[in-house]
Amino acid sequence: MIDELGKLPGVGKRSAERLAMHVLRMDKREASALTRAIEEVKARVKPCTTCHQLSENDPCDICADPRRDGSIVCVVEDSSDIWAFEKNSEYRGRFHVLGGRLSPLKGIGPEDLTIDELLDRIRGGGISEVIIATNPDVDGDATALYLAREIEPLKIAVSRIGLGLPVGGSLEFADHRTLQKALQTRQKLTD
Amino acid sequence: MIDELGKLPGVGKRSAERLAMHVLRMDKREASALTRAIEEVKARVKPCTTCHQLSENDPCDICADPRRDGSIVCVVEDSSDIWAFEKNSEYRGRFHVLGGRLSPLKGIGPEDLTIDELLDRIRGGGISEVIIATNPDVDGDATALYLAREIEPLKIAVSRIGLGLPVGGSLEFADHRTLQKALQTRQKLTD
């Protein structure tokens, strides 16, 4: 049990031992409530067949919501990125979860992600713009460029989520790569 | 002396006392070297008459450097913002230091900044683009919009430094205002 608990993120050997000890002290009813909760979630939560985010429903609540704008699709790496948007960003379009990003060093190629599924979804019609919101680092940028090239023949707009100075931040404390990017991504204020 | 030292940024009453005690323990030669250093710098360092950054030379080294591109001017709030750019950003244009930003609440209006000087500099010719790099917060954004309106009649390009996700950051940890801005400032990847 300690070995299995130790595989959870943020749980080292010492924490795994403490968790295991806690489970041993639980009465039988509590312990089976815990295992049942895990088994139920694993049985119920599956990727949405449209956007591939983890959800109890299929289609998921976002894909099923008629008030969301289906013509804009924001492409993210993981389901947790959707939660970041849904918290407060006022984004009203839909999503597509890649299930990671291209990483030649880790042996993750296009076939390991839901790229074919995204292209099929676009070919299905009704989508006018794809916003690629992979993380703003080397692999995320490379994945964005790869996707843009794949989507280009389908004749819809492809954009990259804006990179630059974070809101509320200060120039003085920006690292030089962010400053450089912010100069490149400057926005016209006049015509 | 404790009162005067206590006015320095980051120096509270307790630190001011410790600094004062240190000065009292200095021998006379050391103490006068310190005061001479302060007086010399105050006498030598003045705003550059062109870009208004604090500099020992007038024009400053950046304004005097013929290898810098004089057709692009990056507008910043303070001289310290120039240092951020000069550290590593590969920016090769010139600068203009506003000396702060508009802030109605603090009673700082256009006449308190070097806005007239910037407009005169643009009217002098040779400038094709102004990049406004005031800090990415409410007052900084308002200052950028005010400047854009003032510069517009002079028929040169005005842009705002890019706001969005910082490079190397992660979507998951971005605050919602930055995510919202990053959606607005998305960049086209295809034509």
PDB file of all heavy atoms in Angstrom, chain B residues 150-179:
ATOM      1  N   GLU B 150      -2.923  61.256 -28.145  1.00  0.00           N
ATOM      2  CA  GLU B 150      -2.134  62.465 -28.369  1.00  0.00           C
ATOM      3  C   GLU B 150      -1.238  62.333 -29.595  1.00  0.00           C
ATOM      4  O   GLU B 150      -0.983  63.287 -30.313  1.00  0.00           O
ATOM      5  CB  GLU B 150      -1.261  62.756 -27.135  1.00  0.00           C
ATOM      6  CG  GLU B 150      -2.024  63.173 -25.896  1.00  0.00           C
ATOM      7  CD  GLU B 150      -2.594  64.585 -26.026  1.00  0.00           C
ATOM      8  OE1 GLU B 150      -1.810  65.519 -26.283  1.00  0.00           O
ATOM      9  OE2 GLU B 150      -3.824  64.746 -25.897  1.00  0.00           O
ATOM     10  N   ILE B 151      -0.717  61.088 -29.802  1.00  0.00           N
ATOM     11  CA  ILE B 151       0.257  60.884 -30.877  1.00  0.00           C
ATOM     12  C   ILE B 151      -0.440  60.666 -32.221  1.00  0.00           C
ATOM     13  O   ILE B 151       0.102  60.983 -33.270  1.00  0.00           O
ATOM     14  CB  ILE B 151       1.173  59.675 -30.538  1.00  0.00           C
ATOM     15  CG1 ILE B 151       1.944  59.952 -29.246  1.00  0.00           C
ATOM     16  CG2 ILE B 151       2.146  59.387 -31.672  1.00  0.00           C
ATOM     17  CD1 ILE B 151       2.686  58.745 -28.698  1.00  0.00           C
ATOM     18  N   GLU B 152      -1.686  60.174 -32.177  1.00  0.00           N
ATOM     19  CA  GLU B 152      -2.387  59.795 -33.412  1.00  0.00           C
ATOM     20  C   GLU B 152      -2.345  60.879 -34.501  1.00  0.00           C
ATOM     21  O   GLU B 152      -2.046  60.557 -35.658  1.00  0.00           O
ATOM     22  CB  GLU B 152      -3.848  59.423 -33.086  1.00  0.00           C
ATOM     23  CG  GLU B 152      -4.516  58.701 -34.247  1.00  0.00           C
ATOM     24  CD  GLU B 152      -5.792  57.971 -33.820  1.00  0.00           C
ATOM     25  OE1 GLU B 152      -6.329  58.291 -32.747  1.00  0.00           O
ATOM     26  OE2 GLU B 152      -6.214  57.084 -34.569  1.00  0.00           O
ATOM     27  N   PRO B 153      -2.610  62.174 -34.160  1.00  0.00           N
ATOM     28  CA  PRO B 153      -2.604  63.196 -35.218  1.00  0.00           C
ATOM     29  C   PRO B 153      -1.250  63.340 -35.906  1.00  0.00           C
ATOM     30  O   PRO B 153      -1.174  63.904 -36.998  1.00  0.00           O
ATOM     31  CB  PRO B 153      -2.966  64.494 -34.468  1.00  0.00           C
ATOM     32  CG  PRO B 153      -3.582  64.054 -33.190  1.00  0.00           C
ATOM     33  CD  PRO B 153      -2.978  62.736 -32.849  1.00  0.00           C
ATOM     34  N   LEU B 154      -0.177  62.846 -35.279  1.00  0.00           N
ATOM     35  CA  LEU B 154       1.162  63.010 -35.867  1.00  0.00           C
ATOM     36  C   LEU B 154       1.455  61.926 -36.896  1.00  0.00           C
ATOM     37  O   LEU B 154       2.538  61.899 -37.477  1.00  0.00           O
ATOM     38  CB  LEU B 154       2.224  63.004 -34.757  1.00  0.00           C
ATOM     39  CG  LEU B 154       2.014  64.046 -33.652  1.00  0.00           C
ATOM     40  CD1 LEU B 154       3.103  63.931 -32.592  1.00  0.00           C
ATOM     41  CD2 LEU B 154       2.003  65.456 -34.242  1.00  0.00           C
ATOM     42  N   LYS B 155       0.510  61.009 -37.113  1.00  0.00           N
ATOM     43  CA  LYS B 155       0.584  60.043 -38.213  1.00  0.00           C
ATOM     44  C   LYS B 155       1.788  59.111 -38.153  1.00  0.00           C
ATOM     45  O   LYS B 155       2.458  58.885 -39.162  1.00  0.00           O
ATOM     46  CB  LYS B 155       0.586  60.776 -39.570  1.00  0.00           C
ATOM     47  CG  LYS B 155      -0.611  61.672 -39.817  1.00  0.00           C
ATOM     48  CD  LYS B 155      -1.844  60.865 -40.133  1.00  0.00           C
ATOM     49  CE  LYS B 155      -3.078  61.769 -40.277  1.00  0.00           C
ATOM     50  NZ  LYS B 155      -4.286  61.084 -39.844  1.00  0.00           N
ATOM     51  N   ILE B 156       2.103  58.608 -36.970  1.00  0.00           N
ATOM     52  CA  ILE B 156       3.094  57.539 -36.879  1.00  0.00           C
ATOM     53  C   ILE B 156       2.431  56.357 -36.165  1.00  0.00           C
ATOM     54  O   ILE B 156       1.388  56.516 -35.537  1.00  0.00           O
ATOM     55  CB  ILE B 156       4.378  57.956 -36.120  1.00  0.00           C
ATOM     56  CG1 ILE B 156       4.051  58.302 -34.662  1.00  0.00           C
ATOM     57  CG2 ILE B 156       5.077  59.123 -36.811  1.00  0.00           C
ATOM     58  CD1 ILE B 156       5.274  58.322 -33.786  1.00  0.00           C
ATOM     59  N   ALA B 157       3.032  55.167 -36.284  1.00  0.00           N
ATOM     60  CA  ALA B 157       2.457  53.981 -35.657  1.00  0.00           C
ATOM     61  C   ALA B 157       2.613  54.056 -34.140  1.00  0.00           C
ATOM     62  O   ALA B 157       3.652  54.483 -33.631  1.00  0.00           O
ATOM     63  CB  ALA B 157       3.132  52.728 -36.181  1.00  0.00           C
ATOM     64  N   VAL B 158       1.570  53.687 -33.409  1.00  0.00           N
ATOM     65  CA  VAL B 158       1.635  53.616 -31.946  1.00  0.00           C
ATOM     66  C   VAL B 158       1.224  52.209 -31.534  1.00  0.00           C
ATOM     67  O   VAL B 158       0.182  51.719 -31.969  1.00  0.00           O
ATOM     68  CB  VAL B 158       0.676  54.621 -31.274  1.00  0.00           C
ATOM     69  CG1 VAL B 158       0.835  54.567 -29.761  1.00  0.00           C
ATOM     70  CG2 VAL B 158       0.931  56.023 -31.788  1.00  0.00           C
ATOM     71  N   SER B 159       2.052  51.538 -30.730  1.00  0.00           N
ATOM     72  CA  SER B 159       1.685  50.194 -30.284  1.00  0.00           C
ATOM     73  C   SER B 159       1.860  50.084 -28.781  1.00  0.00           C
ATOM     74  O   SER B 159       2.541  50.886 -28.149  1.00  0.00           O
ATOM     75  CB  SER B 159       2.522  49.131 -31.001  1.00  0.00           C
ATOM     76  OG  SER B 159       3.891  49.379 -30.806  1.00  0.00           O
ATOM     77  N   ARG B 160       1.199  49.072 -28.225  1.00  0.00           N
ATOM     78  CA  ARG B 160       1.286  48.787 -26.791  1.00  0.00           C
ATOM     79  C   ARG B 160       2.108  47.516 -26.660  1.00  0.00           C
ATOM     80  O   ARG B 160       1.869  46.549 -27.395  1.00  0.00           O
ATOM     81  CB  ARG B 160      -0.130  48.551 -26.243  1.00  0.00           C
ATOM     82  CG  ARG B 160      -0.190  48.181 -24.764  1.00  0.00           C
ATOM     83  CD  ARG B 160      -0.164  49.419 -23.919  1.00  0.00           C
ATOM     84  NE  ARG B 160      -0.426  49.133 -22.511  1.00  0.00           N
ATOM     85  CZ  ARG B 160       0.531  49.192 -21.567  1.00  0.00           C
ATOM     86  NH1 ARG B 160       1.766  49.515 -21.887  1.00  0.00           N
ATOM     87  NH2 ARG B 160       0.220  48.949 -20.310  1.00  0.00           N
ATOM     88  N   ILE B 161       3.045  47.509 -25.730  1.00  0.00           N
ATOM     89  CA  ILE B 161       3.828  46.300 -25.497  1.00  0.00           C
ATOM     90  C   ILE B 161       2.877  45.134 -25.204  1.00  0.00           C
ATOM     91  O   ILE B 161       1.825  45.325 -24.603  1.00  0.00           O
ATOM     92  CB  ILE B 161       4.822  46.527 -24.343  1.00  0.00           C
ATOM     93  CG1 ILE B 161       5.841  45.407 -24.304  1.00  0.00           C
ATOM     94  CG2 ILE B 161       4.119  46.694 -23.012  1.00  0.00           C
ATOM     95  CD1 ILE B 161       7.119  45.775 -23.607  1.00  0.00           C
ATOM     96  N   GLY B 162       3.239  43.927 -25.678  1.00  0.00           N
ATOM     97  CA  GLY B 162       2.328  42.787 -25.609  1.00  0.00           C
ATOM     98  C   GLY B 162       2.004  42.358 -24.185  1.00  0.00           C
ATOM     99  O   GLY B 162       2.898  42.180 -23.358  1.00  0.00           O
ATOM    100  N   LEU B 163       0.712  42.182 -23.909  1.00  0.00           N
ATOM    101  CA  LEU B 163       0.295  41.669 -22.604  1.00  0.00           C
ATOM    102  C   LEU B 163      -0.241  40.264 -22.799  1.00  0.00           C
ATOM    103  O   LEU B 163      -0.868  39.965 -23.808  1.00  0.00           O
ATOM    104  CB  LEU B 163      -0.785  42.573 -22.010  1.00  0.00           C
ATOM    105  CG  LEU B 163      -0.460  44.067 -21.973  1.00  0.00           C
ATOM    106  CD1 LEU B 163      -1.583  44.838 -21.319  1.00  0.00           C
ATOM    107  CD2 LEU B 163       0.843  44.320 -21.239  1.00  0.00           C
ATOM    108  N   GLY B 164       0.004  39.386 -21.864  1.00  0.00           N
ATOM    109  CA  GLY B 164      -0.478  38.013 -21.994  1.00  0.00           C
ATOM    110  C   GLY B 164       0.242  37.088 -21.036  1.00  0.00           C
ATOM    111  O   GLY B 164       0.709  37.519 -19.977  1.00  0.00           O
ATOM    112  N   LEU B 165       0.334  35.815 -21.405  1.00  0.00           N
ATOM    113  CA  LEU B 165       0.993  34.844 -20.540  1.00  0.00           C
ATOM    114  C   LEU B 165       2.495  35.056 -20.572  1.00  0.00           C
ATOM    115  O   LEU B 165       3.073  35.182 -21.643  1.00  0.00           O
ATOM    116  CB  LEU B 165       0.681  33.427 -21.015  1.00  0.00           C
ATOM    117  CG  LEU B 165      -0.770  32.975 -20.947  1.00  0.00           C
ATOM    118  CD1 LEU B 165      -0.916  31.620 -21.624  1.00  0.00           C
ATOM    119  CD2 LEU B 165      -1.231  32.890 -19.515  1.00  0.00           C
ATOM    120  N   PRO B 166       3.159  35.086 -19.420  1.00  0.00           N
ATOM    121  CA  PRO B 166       4.612  35.234 -19.415  1.00  0.00           C
ATOM    122  C   PRO B 166       5.278  33.972 -19.974  1.00  0.00           C
ATOM    123  O   PRO B 166       4.772  32.871 -19.784  1.00  0.00           O
ATOM    124  CB  PRO B 166       4.957  35.422 -17.937  1.00  0.00           C
ATOM    125  CG  PRO B 166       3.816  34.832 -17.194  1.00  0.00           C
ATOM    126  CD  PRO B 166       2.595  34.996 -18.066  1.00  0.00           C
ATOM    127  N   VAL B 167       6.392  34.159 -20.664  1.00  0.00           N
ATOM    128  CA  VAL B 167       7.116  33.033 -21.248  1.00  0.00           C
ATOM    129  C   VAL B 167       7.621  32.105 -20.149  1.00  0.00           C
ATOM    130  O   VAL B 167       8.132  32.560 -19.126  1.00  0.00           O
ATOM    131  CB  VAL B 167       8.297  33.544 -22.092  1.00  0.00           C
ATOM    132  CG1 VAL B 167       9.123  32.385 -22.617  1.00  0.00           C
ATOM    133  CG2 VAL B 167       7.788  34.408 -23.227  1.00  0.00           C
ATOM    134  N   GLY B 168       7.468  30.799 -20.350  1.00  0.00           N
ATOM    135  CA  GLY B 168       7.913  29.839 -19.351  1.00  0.00           C
ATOM    136  C   GLY B 168       6.890  29.617 -18.259  1.00  0.00           C
ATOM    137  O   GLY B 168       7.062  28.775 -17.392  1.00  0.00           O
ATOM    138  N   GLY B 169       5.804  30.370 -18.318  1.00  0.00           N
ATOM    139  CA  GLY B 169       4.755  30.218 -17.303  1.00  0.00           C
ATOM    140  C   GLY B 169       3.859  29.042 -17.635  1.00  0.00           C
ATOM    141  O   GLY B 169       4.121  28.281 -18.560  1.00  0.00           O
ATOM    142  N   SER B 170       2.817  28.912 -16.891  1.00  0.00           N
ATOM    143  CA  SER B 170       1.890  27.816 -17.115  1.00  0.00           C
ATOM    144  C   SER B 170       0.468  28.339 -17.016  1.00  0.00           C
ATOM    145  O   SER B 170       0.149  29.154 -16.157  1.00  0.00           O
ATOM    146  CB  SER B 170       2.139  26.735 -16.064  1.00  0.00           C
ATOM    147  OG  SER B 170       1.023  25.887 -15.978  1.00  0.00           O
ATOM    148  N   LEU B 171      -0.379  27.887 -17.940  1.00  0.00           N
ATOM    149  CA  LEU B 171      -1.772  28.304 -17.971  1.00  0.00           C
ATOM    150  C   LEU B 171      -2.450  28.100 -16.623  1.00  0.00           C
ATOM    151  O   LEU B 171      -3.238  28.914 -16.161  1.00  0.00           O
ATOM    152  CB  LEU B 171      -2.517  27.441 -18.987  1.00  0.00           C
ATOM    153  CG  LEU B 171      -3.207  28.178 -20.109  1.00  0.00           C
ATOM    154  CD1 LEU B 171      -2.192  28.593 -21.142  1.00  0.00           C
ATOM    155  CD2 LEU B 171      -4.266  27.307 -20.702  1.00  0.00           C
ATOM    156  N   GLU B 172      -2.123  26.954 -16.015  1.00  0.00           N
ATOM    157  CA  GLU B 172      -2.779  26.550 -14.791  1.00  0.00           C
ATOM    158  C   GLU B 172      -2.620  27.587 -13.677  1.00  0.00           C
ATOM    159  O   GLU B 172      -3.492  27.730 -12.831  1.00  0.00           O
ATOM    160  CB  GLU B 172      -2.148  25.238 -14.313  1.00  0.00           C
ATOM    161  CG  GLU B 172      -3.093  24.094 -14.240  1.00  0.00           C
ATOM    162  CD  GLU B 172      -2.366  22.876 -13.713  1.00  0.00           C
ATOM    163  OE1 GLU B 172      -1.408  22.409 -14.375  1.00  0.00           O
ATOM    164  OE2 GLU B 172      -2.738  22.409 -12.640  1.00  0.00           O
ATOM    165  N   PHE B 173      -1.478  28.282 -13.681  1.00  0.00           N
ATOM    166  CA  PHE B 173      -1.196  29.209 -12.592  1.00  0.00           C
ATOM    167  C   PHE B 173      -1.421  30.665 -12.972  1.00  0.00           C
ATOM    168  O   PHE B 173      -1.138  31.567 -12.190  1.00  0.00           O
ATOM    169  CB  PHE B 173       0.235  29.003 -12.082  1.00  0.00           C
ATOM    170  CG  PHE B 173       0.479  27.589 -11.623  1.00  0.00           C
ATOM    171  CD1 PHE B 173       1.437  26.797 -12.234  1.00  0.00           C
ATOM    172  CD2 PHE B 173      -0.278  27.043 -10.603  1.00  0.00           C
ATOM    173  CE1 PHE B 173       1.645  25.492 -11.823  1.00  0.00           C
ATOM    174  CE2 PHE B 173      -0.079  25.747 -10.189  1.00  0.00           C
ATOM    175  CZ  PHE B 173       0.884  24.968 -10.797  1.00  0.00           C
ATOM    176  N   ALA B 174      -1.922  30.910 -14.184  1.00  0.00           N
ATOM    177  CA  ALA B 174      -2.169  32.291 -14.599  1.00  0.00           C
ATOM    178  C   ALA B 174      -3.413  32.824 -13.893  1.00  0.00           C
ATOM    179  O   ALA B 174      -4.389  32.104 -13.727  1.00  0.00           O
ATOM    180  CB  ALA B 174      -2.360  32.345 -16.109  1.00  0.00           C
ATOM    181  N   ASP B 175      -3.362  34.099 -13.470  1.00  0.00           N
ATOM    182  CA  ASP B 175      -4.556  34.676 -12.854  1.00  0.00           C
ATOM    183  C   ASP B 175      -5.571  35.003 -13.942  1.00  0.00           C
ATOM    184  O   ASP B 175      -5.232  35.096 -15.118  1.00  0.00           O
ATOM    185  CB  ASP B 175      -4.198  35.923 -12.043  1.00  0.00           C
ATOM    186  CG  ASP B 175      -3.745  37.043 -12.946  1.00  0.00           C
ATOM    187  OD1 ASP B 175      -2.667  36.890 -13.561  1.00  0.00           O
ATOM    188  OD2 ASP B 175      -4.456  38.046 -13.055  1.00  0.00           O
ATOM    189  N   HIS B 176      -6.834  35.204 -13.559  1.00  0.00           N
ATOM    190  CA  HIS B 176      -7.873  35.277 -14.580  1.00  0.00           C
ATOM    191  C   HIS B 176      -7.781  36.541 -15.427  1.00  0.00           C
ATOM    192  O   HIS B 176      -8.162  36.540 -16.581  1.00  0.00           O
ATOM    193  CB  HIS B 176      -9.270  35.133 -13.947  1.00  0.00           C
ATOM    194  CG  HIS B 176      -9.714  36.327 -13.172  1.00  0.00           C
ATOM    195  ND1 HIS B 176      -9.452  36.500 -11.842  1.00  0.00           N
ATOM    196  CD2 HIS B 176     -10.389  37.434 -13.557  1.00  0.00           C
ATOM    197  CE1 HIS B 176      -9.960  37.647 -11.434  1.00  0.00           C
ATOM    198  NE2 HIS B 176     -10.529  38.224 -12.456  1.00  0.00           N
ATOM    199  N   ARG B 177      -7.242  37.639 -14.867  1.00  0.00           N
ATOM    200  CA  ARG B 177      -7.131  38.848 -15.692  1.00  0.00           C
ATOM    201  C   ARG B 177      -6.094  38.660 -16.791  1.00  0.00           C
ATOM    202  O   ARG B 177      -6.240  39.143 -17.907  1.00  0.00           O
ATOM    203  CB  ARG B 177      -6.765  40.063 -14.818  1.00  0.00           C
ATOM    204  CG  ARG B 177      -7.940  40.543 -13.970  1.00  0.00           C
ATOM    205  CD  ARG B 177      -7.546  41.769 -13.185  1.00  0.00           C
ATOM    206  NE  ARG B 177      -6.299  41.534 -12.467  1.00  0.00           N
ATOM    207  CZ  ARG B 177      -5.492  42.474 -12.029  1.00  0.00           C
ATOM    208  NH1 ARG B 177      -5.782  43.739 -12.230  1.00  0.00           N
ATOM    209  NH2 ARG B 177      -4.387  42.168 -11.371  1.00  0.00           N
ATOM    210  N   THR B 178      -5.009  37.939 -16.453  1.00  0.00           N
ATOM    211  CA  THR B 178      -3.989  37.667 -17.459  1.00  0.00           C
ATOM    212  C   THR B 178      -4.529  36.721 -18.533  1.00  0.00           C
ATOM    213  O   THR B 178      -4.301  36.938 -19.727  1.00  0.00           O
ATOM    214  CB  THR B 178      -2.732  37.064 -16.786  1.00  0.00           C
ATOM    215  OG1 THR B 178      -2.179  38.033 -15.899  1.00  0.00           O
ATOM    216  CG2 THR B 178      -1.681  36.683 -17.818  1.00  0.00           C
ATOM    217  N   LEU B 179      -5.283  35.700 -18.124  1.00  0.00           N
ATOM    218  CA  LEU B 179      -5.870  34.772 -19.099  1.00  0.00           C
ATOM    219  C   LEU B 179      -6.822  35.510 -20.038  1.00  0.00           C
ATOM    220  O   LEU B 179      -6.817  35.297 -21.248  1.00  0.00           O
ATOM    221  CB  LEU B 179      -6.646  33.670 -18.375  1.00  0.00           C
ATOM    222  CG  LEU B 179      -5.911  32.354 -18.118  1.00  0.00           C
ATOM    223  CD1 LEU B 179      -6.848  31.361 -17.463  1.00  0.00           C
ATOM    224  CD2 LEU B 179      -5.351  31.774 -19.410  1.00  0.00           C
TER     225      LEU B 179
END
